[in-house]
Amino acid sequence: MVMECREGRTLQEVGFDGLSSAQRVHLFDQVADVLLQLRRQEFSRMGSLSLERLDVAGRPFSVEANGQEMEGLQASYIWGPTTTYSSAQAYCDSVIHLAVNGFVRARYAVYDRGDAEEMLYYLNGFRDFVSNWLDPGLDAGPFVLAHGDFRPANLLVDPESLDLVAVLDWEWSGVVPLQMFAPPTWLTWRELGGLCNNRRYDAYVGKLEIFVDHVARRESATAPADASSSLSAKWRLAGRHGSVLIAAALNNPTDISTVYAFVDGRFRKHAESLATRITAFLRDDTSRQALVAKKVREMRLYKIELWFHNLASSRSVGYIMFYLAVLLALVTAVSSNSLRLTLWYR
């Protein structure tokens, strides 16, 4: 690991507002250069990099996988310590497996029954969609280096010149399928989930076209490439067909349901309504209905536990005594009325 102190401010702090046209051009050219350099680092396998040499030596690891492990959701069973991949399909299947693991194991994964049914439906739909979305011709590579958390908070710039000083936080870097190597989704300063709206997505695609122009210019200036390996050509099509969101969701599994709900509604045609499709989906497999019921029970219990936790951690013990007194009074009243009713009936 190489560490060095650099001065500057993050792009998150600087923002886009107030930048001149010249500053934007300068910034986007530099961001394009970084991404093109990463794209050119090709590997024969996918996973995390070795600390000893620039090669794939261990299982894939991501922000989402780490988060699940910290929450006790046992995501590590999906990838053994030395698991690597040489198939794009197998790698993407493992990422979707991670998303499903979060849904199945987390007690707070849904809000209510409708939410549980939709999430399960979209997770299954996303898995089937990705199987057809992946290019079979790219299944065996190329596999390329990705930063893993390439966002404004990790881009250090000189606030005056907008020179890119450093790219921070490489701990999530690894090798991914080429189709998962996605352009930035923060060009309109929104998180991935915030783009899943027709108006916002159209605005993003407009910004993406401008950014891809920068990529194309830098691509031809630094290393002319044929059309089959052109990153700018692939990204231009990805924006128009929604593929950019699919790739981004594979890199951010918590957003899979939100992304697929939008892509499914905007880019696919269905003869039946969403409610009808979900009903049929649940009816086809009773285990799906059982899983939905389980998630609803877990959420209800979680809310009750959370309520008692908040009550116990309140500043005044008097609140606890008050609520217990009210609860006892209610139980006593119900019991007394039941006894009176029983005696009267007799």
mmCIF file of all heavy atoms in Angstrom, residues 33-69:
data_model
loop_
_atom_site.group_PDB
_atom_site.id
_atom_site.type_symbol
_atom_site.label_atom_id
_atom_site.label_comp_id
_atom_site.label_asym_id
_atom_site.label_seq_id
_atom_site.Cartn_x
_atom_site.Cartn_y
_atom_site.Cartn_z
ATOM 1 N N ASP A 33 -9.196 10.640 -18.367
ATOM 2 C CA ASP A 33 -7.864 10.036 -18.423
ATOM 3 C C ASP A 33 -7.702 8.937 -17.373
ATOM 4 O O ASP A 33 -7.137 7.877 -17.649
ATOM 5 C CB ASP A 33 -6.788 11.110 -18.217
ATOM 6 C CG ASP A 33 -6.536 11.935 -19.461
ATOM 7 O OD1 ASP A 33 -6.935 11.482 -20.567
ATOM 8 O OD2 ASP A 33 -5.948 13.029 -19.346
ATOM 9 N N VAL A 34 -8.193 9.193 -16.151
ATOM 10 C CA VAL A 34 -8.091 8.196 -15.083
ATOM 11 C C VAL A 34 -8.847 6.929 -15.467
ATOM 12 O O VAL A 34 -8.337 5.802 -15.340
ATOM 13 C CB VAL A 34 -8.627 8.760 -13.755
ATOM 14 C CG1 VAL A 34 -8.736 7.654 -12.705
ATOM 15 C CG2 VAL A 34 -7.724 9.869 -13.244
ATOM 16 N N LEU A 35 -10.072 7.094 -15.941
ATOM 17 C CA LEU A 35 -10.895 5.938 -16.292
ATOM 18 C C LEU A 35 -10.310 5.168 -17.479
ATOM 19 O O LEU A 35 -10.371 3.931 -17.521
ATOM 20 C CB LEU A 35 -12.323 6.398 -16.588
ATOM 21 C CG LEU A 35 -13.069 6.959 -15.362
ATOM 22 C CD1 LEU A 35 -14.394 7.574 -15.771
ATOM 23 C CD2 LEU A 35 -13.289 5.869 -14.323
ATOM 24 N N LEU A 36 -9.746 5.875 -18.436
ATOM 25 C CA LEU A 36 -9.114 5.204 -19.574
ATOM 26 C C LEU A 36 -7.886 4.410 -19.131
ATOM 27 O O LEU A 36 -7.635 3.304 -19.634
ATOM 28 C CB LEU A 36 -8.734 6.219 -20.644
ATOM 29 C CG LEU A 36 -9.905 6.788 -21.458
ATOM 30 C CD1 LEU A 36 -9.461 7.997 -22.270
ATOM 31 C CD2 LEU A 36 -10.483 5.715 -22.389
ATOM 32 N N GLN A 37 -7.129 4.954 -18.193
ATOM 33 C CA GLN A 37 -5.973 4.218 -17.681
ATOM 34 C C GLN A 37 -6.417 2.938 -16.980
ATOM 35 O O GLN A 37 -5.780 1.882 -17.138
ATOM 36 C CB GLN A 37 -5.185 5.098 -16.709
ATOM 37 C CG GLN A 37 -4.422 6.236 -17.366
ATOM 38 C CD GLN A 37 -3.685 7.070 -16.343
ATOM 39 O OE1 GLN A 37 -2.877 6.557 -15.564
ATOM 40 N NE2 GLN A 37 -3.970 8.368 -16.318
ATOM 41 N N LEU A 38 -7.492 3.016 -16.196
ATOM 42 C CA LEU A 38 -7.999 1.824 -15.526
ATOM 43 C C LEU A 38 -8.487 0.792 -16.547
ATOM 44 O O LEU A 38 -8.224 -0.410 -16.410
ATOM 45 C CB LEU A 38 -9.140 2.204 -14.581
ATOM 46 C CG LEU A 38 -8.761 3.031 -13.355
ATOM 47 C CD1 LEU A 38 -10.009 3.419 -12.571
ATOM 48 C CD2 LEU A 38 -7.805 2.267 -12.459
ATOM 49 N N ARG A 39 -9.210 1.271 -17.559
ATOM 50 C CA ARG A 39 -9.739 0.366 -18.585
ATOM 51 C C ARG A 39 -8.626 -0.420 -19.278
ATOM 52 O O ARG A 39 -8.807 -1.595 -19.653
ATOM 53 C CB ARG A 39 -10.539 1.182 -19.614
ATOM 54 C CG ARG A 39 -10.780 0.511 -20.968
ATOM 55 C CD ARG A 39 -11.608 -0.750 -20.833
ATOM 56 N NE ARG A 39 -11.756 -1.442 -22.104
ATOM 57 C CZ ARG A 39 -10.924 -2.365 -22.568
ATOM 58 N NH1 ARG A 39 -9.832 -2.698 -21.877
ATOM 59 N NH2 ARG A 39 -11.157 -2.953 -23.727
ATOM 60 N N ARG A 40 -7.465 0.185 -19.429
ATOM 61 C CA ARG A 40 -6.374 -0.475 -20.158
ATOM 62 C C ARG A 40 -5.631 -1.523 -19.328
ATOM 63 O O ARG A 40 -4.795 -2.248 -19.861
ATOM 64 C CB ARG A 40 -5.401 0.581 -20.679
ATOM 65 C CG ARG A 40 -6.015 1.427 -21.788
ATOM 66 C CD ARG A 40 -5.142 2.579 -22.199
ATOM 67 N NE ARG A 40 -5.839 3.437 -23.154
ATOM 68 C CZ ARG A 40 -5.849 4.759 -23.120
ATOM 69 N NH1 ARG A 40 -5.185 5.404 -22.161
ATOM 70 N NH2 ARG A 40 -6.515 5.459 -24.028
ATOM 71 N N GLN A 41 -5.951 -1.600 -18.037
ATOM 72 C CA GLN A 41 -5.324 -2.624 -17.193
ATOM 73 C C GLN A 41 -6.174 -3.889 -17.261
ATOM 74 O O GLN A 41 -7.203 -3.989 -16.610
ATOM 75 C CB GLN A 41 -5.205 -2.130 -15.742
ATOM 76 C CG GLN A 41 -4.588 -0.754 -15.587
ATOM 77 C CD GLN A 41 -3.244 -0.625 -16.253
ATOM 78 O OE1 GLN A 41 -2.359 -1.473 -16.089
ATOM 79 N NE2 GLN A 41 -3.072 0.439 -17.034
ATOM 80 N N GLU A 42 -5.783 -4.832 -18.086
ATOM 81 C CA GLU A 42 -6.569 -6.047 -18.302
ATOM 82 C C GLU A 42 -5.955 -7.231 -17.562
ATOM 83 O O GLU A 42 -4.733 -7.330 -17.417
ATOM 84 C CB GLU A 42 -6.678 -6.351 -19.801
ATOM 85 C CG GLU A 42 -7.429 -5.278 -20.575
ATOM 86 C CD GLU A 42 -7.693 -5.680 -22.016
ATOM 87 O OE1 GLU A 42 -7.281 -6.791 -22.415
ATOM 88 O OE2 GLU A 42 -8.318 -4.883 -22.750
ATOM 89 N N PHE A 43 -6.837 -8.133 -17.113
ATOM 90 C CA PHE A 43 -6.422 -9.295 -16.336
ATOM 91 C C PHE A 43 -7.143 -10.538 -16.850
ATOM 92 O O PHE A 43 -8.163 -10.444 -17.539
ATOM 93 C CB PHE A 43 -6.741 -9.089 -14.854
ATOM 94 C CG PHE A 43 -6.027 -7.919 -14.230
ATOM 95 C CD1 PHE A 43 -6.489 -6.615 -14.418
ATOM 96 C CD2 PHE A 43 -4.901 -8.118 -13.462
ATOM 97 C CE1 PHE A 43 -5.836 -5.534 -13.847
ATOM 98 C CE2 PHE A 43 -4.234 -7.039 -12.885
ATOM 99 C CZ PHE A 43 -4.692 -5.747 -13.078
ATOM 100 N N SER A 44 -6.627 -11.694 -16.484
ATOM 101 C CA SER A 44 -7.218 -12.955 -16.940
ATOM 102 C C SER A 44 -8.287 -13.475 -15.991
ATOM 103 O O SER A 44 -9.048 -14.376 -16.332
ATOM 104 C CB SER A 44 -6.125 -14.026 -17.092
ATOM 105 O OG SER A 44 -5.472 -14.260 -15.850
ATOM 106 N N ARG A 45 -8.349 -12.910 -14.772
ATOM 107 C CA ARG A 45 -9.323 -13.340 -13.771
ATOM 108 C C ARG A 45 -9.914 -12.114 -13.074
ATOM 109 O O ARG A 45 -9.396 -11.009 -13.208
ATOM 110 C CB ARG A 45 -8.652 -14.233 -12.722
ATOM 111 C CG ARG A 45 -8.123 -15.548 -13.262
ATOM 112 C CD ARG A 45 -7.379 -16.288 -12.173
ATOM 113 N NE ARG A 45 -6.185 -15.559 -11.748
ATOM 114 C CZ ARG A 45 -5.498 -15.848 -10.648
ATOM 115 N NH1 ARG A 45 -5.903 -16.805 -9.837
ATOM 116 N NH2 ARG A 45 -4.420 -15.142 -10.336
ATOM 117 N N MET A 46 -10.992 -12.359 -12.312
ATOM 118 C CA MET A 46 -11.648 -11.278 -11.576
ATOM 119 C C MET A 46 -11.628 -11.564 -10.080
ATOM 120 O O MET A 46 -11.777 -12.715 -9.663
ATOM 121 C CB MET A 46 -13.094 -11.115 -12.053
ATOM 122 C CG MET A 46 -13.210 -10.584 -13.462
ATOM 123 S SD MET A 46 -14.892 -10.724 -14.094
ATOM 124 C CE MET A 46 -15.019 -12.497 -14.363
ATOM 125 N N GLY A 47 -11.435 -10.506 -9.323
ATOM 126 C CA GLY A 47 -11.387 -10.614 -7.874
ATOM 127 C C GLY A 47 -10.625 -9.437 -7.318
ATOM 128 O O GLY A 47 -10.516 -8.389 -7.957
ATOM 129 N N SER A 48 -10.083 -9.588 -6.116
ATOM 130 C CA SER A 48 -9.301 -8.518 -5.490
ATOM 131 C C SER A 48 -7.824 -8.690 -5.812
ATOM 132 O O SER A 48 -7.360 -9.789 -6.114
ATOM 133 C CB SER A 48 -9.520 -8.515 -3.977
ATOM 134 O OG SER A 48 -9.191 -9.781 -3.429
ATOM 135 N N LEU A 49 -7.098 -7.582 -5.728
ATOM 136 C CA LEU A 49 -5.692 -7.589 -6.101
ATOM 137 C C LEU A 49 -4.799 -8.019 -4.943
ATOM 138 O O LEU A 49 -5.109 -7.783 -3.776
ATOM 139 C CB LEU A 49 -5.263 -6.203 -6.576
ATOM 140 C CG LEU A 49 -5.974 -5.670 -7.827
ATOM 141 C CD1 LEU A 49 -5.493 -4.260 -8.129
ATOM 142 C CD2 LEU A 49 -5.738 -6.582 -9.014
ATOM 143 N N SER A 50 -3.680 -8.622 -5.290
ATOM 144 C CA SER A 50 -2.679 -9.004 -4.302
ATOM 145 C C SER A 50 -1.950 -7.767 -3.804
ATOM 146 O O SER A 50 -1.750 -6.804 -4.543
ATOM 147 C CB SER A 50 -1.671 -9.980 -4.928
ATOM 148 O OG SER A 50 -0.538 -10.126 -4.104
ATOM 149 N N LEU A 51 -1.527 -7.773 -2.544
ATOM 150 C CA LEU A 51 -0.735 -6.680 -1.999
ATOM 151 C C LEU A 51 0.730 -6.798 -2.409
ATOM 152 O O LEU A 51 1.494 -5.852 -2.280
ATOM 153 C CB LEU A 51 -0.845 -6.659 -0.473
ATOM 154 C CG LEU A 51 -2.223 -6.328 0.108
ATOM 155 C CD1 LEU A 51 -2.194 -6.415 1.626
ATOM 156 C CD2 LEU A 51 -2.683 -4.955 -0.334
ATOM 157 N N GLU A 52 1.101 -7.970 -2.892
ATOM 158 C CA GLU A 52 2.494 -8.207 -3.243
ATOM 159 C C GLU A 52 2.786 -7.896 -4.702
ATOM 160 O O GLU A 52 3.882 -7.490 -5.056
ATOM 161 C CB GLU A 52 2.866 -9.662 -2.931
ATOM 162 C CG GLU A 52 2.703 -10.019 -1.439
ATOM 163 C CD GLU A 52 2.959 -11.487 -1.177
ATOM 164 O OE1 GLU A 52 3.175 -12.231 -2.171
ATOM 165 O OE2 GLU A 52 2.943 -11.894 -0.001
ATOM 166 N N ARG A 53 1.814 -8.112 -5.566
ATOM 167 C CA ARG A 53 2.017 -7.856 -6.989
ATOM 168 C C ARG A 53 0.685 -7.454 -7.609
ATOM 169 O O ARG A 53 -0.386 -7.755 -7.065
ATOM 170 C CB ARG A 53 2.578 -9.086 -7.696
ATOM 171 C CG ARG A 53 1.636 -10.277 -7.679
ATOM 172 C CD ARG A 53 2.296 -11.539 -8.229
ATOM 173 N NE ARG A 53 1.357 -12.625 -8.392
ATOM 174 C CZ ARG A 53 0.910 -13.382 -7.394
ATOM 175 N NH1 ARG A 53 1.310 -13.160 -6.159
ATOM 176 N NH2 ARG A 53 0.058 -14.369 -7.630
ATOM 177 N N LEU A 54 0.751 -6.778 -8.733
ATOM 178 C CA LEU A 54 -0.473 -6.318 -9.386
ATOM 179 C C LEU A 54 -1.110 -7.469 -10.150
ATOM 180 O O LEU A 54 -0.971 -7.604 -11.359
ATOM 181 C CB LEU A 54 -0.163 -5.155 -10.341
ATOM 182 C CG LEU A 54 -1.385 -4.433 -10.922
ATOM 183 C CD1 LEU A 54 -2.244 -3.831 -9.820
ATOM 184 C CD2 LEU A 54 -0.948 -3.353 -11.905
ATOM 185 N N ASP A 55 -1.815 -8.307 -9.399
ATOM 186 C CA ASP A 55 -2.490 -9.451 -10.002
ATOM 187 C C ASP A 55 -3.651 -9.858 -9.105
ATOM 188 O O ASP A 55 -3.685 -9.544 -7.913
ATOM 189 C CB ASP A 55 -1.512 -10.623 -10.166
ATOM 190 C CG ASP A 55 -2.058 -11.699 -11.099
ATOM 191 O OD1 ASP A 55 -3.075 -11.428 -11.781
ATOM 192 O OD2 ASP A 55 -1.480 -12.801 -11.145
ATOM 193 N N VAL A 56 -4.600 -10.576 -9.675
ATOM 194 C CA VAL A 56 -5.760 -11.036 -8.921
ATOM 195 C C VAL A 56 -5.358 -12.243 -8.085
ATOM 196 O O VAL A 56 -4.829 -13.219 -8.611
ATOM 197 C CB VAL A 56 -6.912 -11.404 -9.871
ATOM 198 C CG1 VAL A 56 -8.079 -12.000 -9.092
ATOM 199 C CG2 VAL A 56 -7.369 -10.177 -10.641
ATOM 200 N N ALA A 57 -5.615 -12.159 -6.786
ATOM 201 C CA ALA A 57 -5.192 -13.241 -5.904
ATOM 202 C C ALA A 57 -6.247 -13.650 -4.885
ATOM 203 O O ALA A 57 -6.062 -14.626 -4.171
ATOM 204 C CB ALA A 57 -3.915 -12.831 -5.168
ATOM 205 N N GLY A 58 -7.344 -12.918 -4.793
ATOM 206 C CA GLY A 58 -8.338 -13.249 -3.779
ATOM 207 C C GLY A 58 -9.748 -12.975 -4.215
ATOM 208 O O GLY A 58 -9.996 -12.514 -5.324
ATOM 209 N N ARG A 59 -10.657 -13.257 -3.323
ATOM 210 C CA ARG A 59 -12.089 -13.115 -3.616
ATOM 211 C C ARG A 59 -12.447 -11.657 -3.894
ATOM 212 O O ARG A 59 -11.779 -10.731 -3.408
ATOM 213 C CB ARG A 59 -12.903 -13.614 -2.431
ATOM 214 C CG ARG A 59 -12.691 -12.803 -1.163
ATOM 215 C CD ARG A 59 -13.422 -13.427 -0.003
ATOM 216 N NE ARG A 59 -13.171 -12.684 1.237
ATOM 217 C CZ ARG A 59 -13.577 -13.099 2.425
ATOM 218 N NH1 ARG A 59 -14.235 -14.233 2.538
ATOM 219 N NH2 ARG A 59 -13.326 -12.386 3.500
ATOM 220 N N PRO A 60 -13.521 -11.429 -4.635
ATOM 221 C CA PRO A 60 -14.006 -10.055 -4.822
ATOM 222 C C PRO A 60 -14.441 -9.501 -3.469
ATOM 223 O O PRO A 60 -14.903 -10.240 -2.598
ATOM 224 C CB PRO A 60 -15.205 -10.223 -5.758
ATOM 225 C CG PRO A 60 -15.041 -11.569 -6.372
ATOM 226 C CD PRO A 60 -14.345 -12.403 -5.363
ATOM 227 N N PHE A 61 -14.280 -8.212 -3.304
ATOM 228 C CA PHE A 61 -14.755 -7.573 -2.082
ATOM 229 C C PHE A 61 -15.249 -6.177 -2.439
ATOM 230 O O PHE A 61 -14.687 -5.528 -3.319
ATOM 231 C CB PHE A 61 -13.659 -7.509 -1.024
ATOM 232 C CG PHE A 61 -14.196 -7.506 0.376
ATOM 233 C CD1 PHE A 61 -14.994 -8.544 0.825
ATOM 234 C CD2 PHE A 61 -13.921 -6.476 1.253
ATOM 235 C CE1 PHE A 61 -15.509 -8.554 2.116
ATOM 236 C CE2 PHE A 61 -14.424 -6.466 2.540
ATOM 237 C CZ PHE A 61 -15.217 -7.512 2.977
ATOM 238 N N SER A 62 -16.282 -5.740 -1.764
ATOM 239 C CA SER A 62 -16.912 -4.470 -2.125
ATOM 240 C C SER A 62 -17.468 -3.790 -0.891
ATOM 241 O O SER A 62 -17.499 -4.366 0.202
ATOM 242 C CB SER A 62 -18.051 -4.730 -3.122
ATOM 243 O OG SER A 62 -19.067 -5.528 -2.513
ATOM 244 N N VAL A 63 -17.902 -2.562 -1.078
ATOM 245 C CA VAL A 63 -18.541 -1.814 0.011
ATOM 246 C C VAL A 63 -19.753 -2.582 0.524
ATOM 247 O O VAL A 63 -19.974 -2.701 1.727
ATOM 248 C CB VAL A 63 -18.948 -0.410 -0.469
ATOM 249 C CG1 VAL A 63 -19.720 0.328 0.618
ATOM 250 C CG2 VAL A 63 -17.729 0.392 -0.901
ATOM 251 N N GLU A 64 -20.545 -3.125 -0.392
ATOM 252 C CA GLU A 64 -21.758 -3.859 -0.006
ATOM 253 C C GLU A 64 -21.412 -5.124 0.766
ATOM 254 O O GLU A 64 -22.023 -5.421 1.801
ATOM 255 C CB GLU A 64 -22.563 -4.212 -1.255
ATOM 256 C CG GLU A 64 -23.740 -5.138 -1.023
ATOM 257 C CD GLU A 64 -24.848 -4.519 -0.198
ATOM 258 O OE1 GLU A 64 -24.845 -3.285 -0.036
ATOM 259 O OE2 GLU A 64 -25.717 -5.264 0.288
ATOM 260 N N ALA A 65 -20.433 -5.895 0.282
ATOM 261 C CA ALA A 65 -20.050 -7.126 0.974
ATOM 262 C C ALA A 65 -19.534 -6.822 2.379
ATOM 263 O O ALA A 65 -19.872 -7.517 3.349
ATOM 264 C CB ALA A 65 -18.982 -7.858 0.168
ATOM 265 N N ASN A 66 -18.739 -5.783 2.504
ATOM 266 C CA ASN A 66 -18.212 -5.398 3.804
ATOM 267 C C ASN A 66 -19.340 -4.969 4.741
ATOM 268 O O ASN A 66 -19.351 -5.336 5.920
ATOM 269 C CB ASN A 66 -17.212 -4.259 3.638
ATOM 270 C CG ASN A 66 -16.570 -3.849 4.946
ATOM 271 O OD1 ASN A 66 -15.845 -4.629 5.560
ATOM 272 N ND2 ASN A 66 -16.827 -2.629 5.380
ATOM 273 N N GLY A 67 -20.290 -4.200 4.202
ATOM 274 C CA GLY A 67 -21.413 -3.760 5.010
ATOM 275 C C GLY A 67 -22.232 -4.936 5.538
ATOM 276 O O GLY A 67 -22.637 -4.951 6.708
ATOM 277 N N GLN A 68 -22.468 -5.920 4.675
ATOM 278 C CA GLN A 68 -23.229 -7.098 5.112
ATOM 279 C C GLN A 68 -22.482 -7.881 6.183
ATOM 280 O O GLN A 68 -23.080 -8.386 7.140
ATOM 281 C CB GLN A 68 -23.552 -7.986 3.914
ATOM 282 C CG GLN A 68 -24.602 -7.418 2.984
ATOM 283 C CD GLN A 68 -25.146 -8.454 2.019
ATOM 284 O OE1 GLN A 68 -25.072 -9.667 2.264
ATOM 285 N NE2 GLN A 68 -25.694 -8.000 0.913
ATOM 286 N N GLU A 69 -21.166 -8.007 6.034
ATOM 287 C CA GLU A 69 -20.374 -8.706 7.034
ATOM 288 C C GLU A 69 -20.444 -7.990 8.385
ATOM 289 O O GLU A 69 -20.595 -8.620 9.429
ATOM 290 C CB GLU A 69 -18.917 -8.811 6.575
ATOM 291 C CG GLU A 69 -18.659 -9.942 5.592
ATOM 292 C CD GLU A 69 -18.935 -11.307 6.212
ATOM 293 O OE1 GLU A 69 -18.254 -11.684 7.184
ATOM 294 O OE2 GLU A 69 -19.857 -11.988 5.731
#
